[in-house]
Amino acid sequence: MTTAPAPTRVRIAASCRSVTEAPAFSLAVLTVILFNAVLLGAETYHGFATDHATRLRGAEHGCLAFFTLEMLLRLGAHADRPKEFWRDGWNVFDLVVVAGAYVPFVRENATVLRLLRMVRVLRTARFLPQLRILFIAVSRSLPGTVSFLFVGAVVLYVYAMVGWVCFGSHDPAHFGSLGRALLTLFLLMTLEGLQDAIYNGLAISRLSILYYGSYVLLASFVLVNVLIGVVLNSLDEARELDEAALGATGRAPRPGKTDGATRPVTSPAEPAAGELAERIAGMRQALDTLERSLAAHPPAAHGRERMTTIA
């Protein structure tokens, strides 16, 4: 059976995918991102930026051209399945960051353009697995962090009101108003100036030790440990999601990872993307030919002709 040539979109996707999935391509993109970060740092030195303004501008245009070519290759790699491109959040993020430099308002506003260039540094998370896991963990910990902030705000408000009632008239610099009391307690959450606060409280009343002691135990130890627990739990979930995404895309798992108790996870040998695409196209062509043959010569007609011949 002869295989028909693959459709144009499939061939384009296979060619672009062979480039974007190459380790050298990822290394080149990461190098340009870091080079772009160095350019941003160099522009903060006014004298250096003035003397080398033309070279810095040319280097920035070169980085932008490289990032544009990268996005075109990534779009081409999804030519046969465009929906998959938009399902990947990193693809959408990269496209927005790169395309923003071509938007008229952003391109003409130096401050916004500089901020957009700074955001490009975050793209390093795409090529560094551990950093990518941290970003996912931070995003997944946001609901728990919001709950923590709400509980922390309630604790701060209650203790600030108690502090204003008990120490407001004696220590107006720290508890003279609700705002001052909140600022003081927020700093005490990091144990900054705790010794001075306790001595000032003892000068007013010995019972102040109960106030500061209970606040430090609740705010600096209990709440902070709860926040750490939320982040660690989100980190474990992010690691599992990242490993599941690696398995779904067919990429090899990280070394040392085992499936179950003893068996290492191994990925079976797979044909090249272009060869696989050609095989699929050939199979589809063969199926279409068979369907046309069946429509032209129904099986019942073949059966009657065979019976007549035998008779």
Side-chain angles (χ1 to χ4, degrees):
M1 182 179 66
T2 59
T3 59
T8 305
R9 289 197 306 173
V10 176
R11 292 200 302 269
I12 293 175
S15 302
C16 294
R17 200 176 297 121
S18 63
V19 176
T20 57
E21 294 181 356
F25 179 79
S26 300
L27 181 61
V29 176
L30 180 60
T31 302
V32 176
I33 291 175
L34 296 178
F35 178 70
N36 180 77
V38 173
L39 290 178
L40 286 173
E43 291 178 2
T44 60
Y45 296 91
H46 183 70
F48 180 84
T50 303
D51 296 337
H52 302 82
T54 304
R55 295 180 180 179
L56 290 176
R57 191 178 302 108
E60 164 59 20
H61 290 165
C63 291
L64 181 59
F66 180 85
F67 291 142
T68 304
L69 177 62
E70 177 207 356
M71 290 311 306
L72 291 176
L73 288 173
R74 293 195 183 279
L75 287 170
H78 292 80
D80 56 339
R81 43 191 176 90
K83 293 182 180 179
E84 294 295 329
F85 179 86
W86 302 104
R87 291 176 182 173
D88 189 346
W90 288 109
N91 288 335
V92 177
F93 175 76
D94 293 345
L95 182 61
V96 171
V97 170
V98 175
Y102 294 98
V103 178
F105 171 76
V106 177
R107 183 178 55 191
E108 297 167 0
N109 192 314
T111 303
V112 177
L113 183 60
R114 189 173 290 112
L115 292 175
L116 188 65
R117 291 171 57 195
M118 185 175 61
V119 175
R120 294 178 191 169
V121 182
L122 299 179
R123 298 186 59 214
T124 55
R126 184 189 186 100
F127 308 97
L128 301 177
Q130 296 300 326
L131 186 59
R132 183 173 62 248
I133 290 174
L134 287 177
F135 272 100
I136 297 174
V138 170
S139 63
R140 292 190 64 84
S141 65
L142 288 180
T145 304
V146 171
S147 301
F148 165 81
L149 292 177
F150 178 76
V151 175
V154 172
V155 172
L156 277 175
Y157 184 82
V158 171
Y159 272 87
M161 289 301 299
V162 174
W164 175 75
V165 171
C166 298
F167 310 116
S169 58
H170 301 281
D171 190 4
H174 297 93
F175 294 95
S177 64
L178 179 62
R180 290 177 180 270
L182 287 172
L183 178 60
T184 300
L185 293 177
F186 181 78
L187 296 177
L188 288 179
M189 187 181 295
T190 62
L191 303 181
E192 180 69 24
L194 178 61
Q195 183 177 1
D196 295 337
I198 291 178
Y199 282 131
N200 292 334
L202 290 176
I204 300 172
S205 173
R206 293 187 177 273
L207 295 178
S208 62
I209 193 66
L210 298 177
Y211 173 82
Y212 288 110
S214 62
Y215 174 76
V216 169
L217 288 176
L218 184 60
S220 299
F221 293 99
V222 176
L223 290 180
V224 172
N225 286 329
V226 168
L227 179 61
I228 293 174
V230 170
V231 174
L232 291 178
N233 185 46
S234 300
L235 189 61
D236 292 336
E237 294 180 359
R239 188 175 291 109
E240 294 176 359
L241 289 175
D242 187 69
E243 292 173 357
L246 289 177
T249 54
R251 288 177 285 179
R254 287 185 291 274
K257 194 67 182 175
T258 58
D259 182 13
T262 56
R263 292 182 303 167
V265 177
T266 57
S267 58
E270 297 181 355
E275 181 183 355
L276 185 59
E278 292 180 359
R279 290 183 183 178
I280 293 174
M283 293 172 65
R284 289 175 178 172
Q285 185 74 15
L287 288 175
D288 293 340
T289 304
L290 288 174
E291 289 179 356
R292 287 194 295 267
S293 299
L294 290 175
H297 304 285
H302 287 285
R304 286 195 298 270
E305 292 175 2
R306 183 176 181 183
M307 291 175 63
T308 304
T309 303
I310 293 174

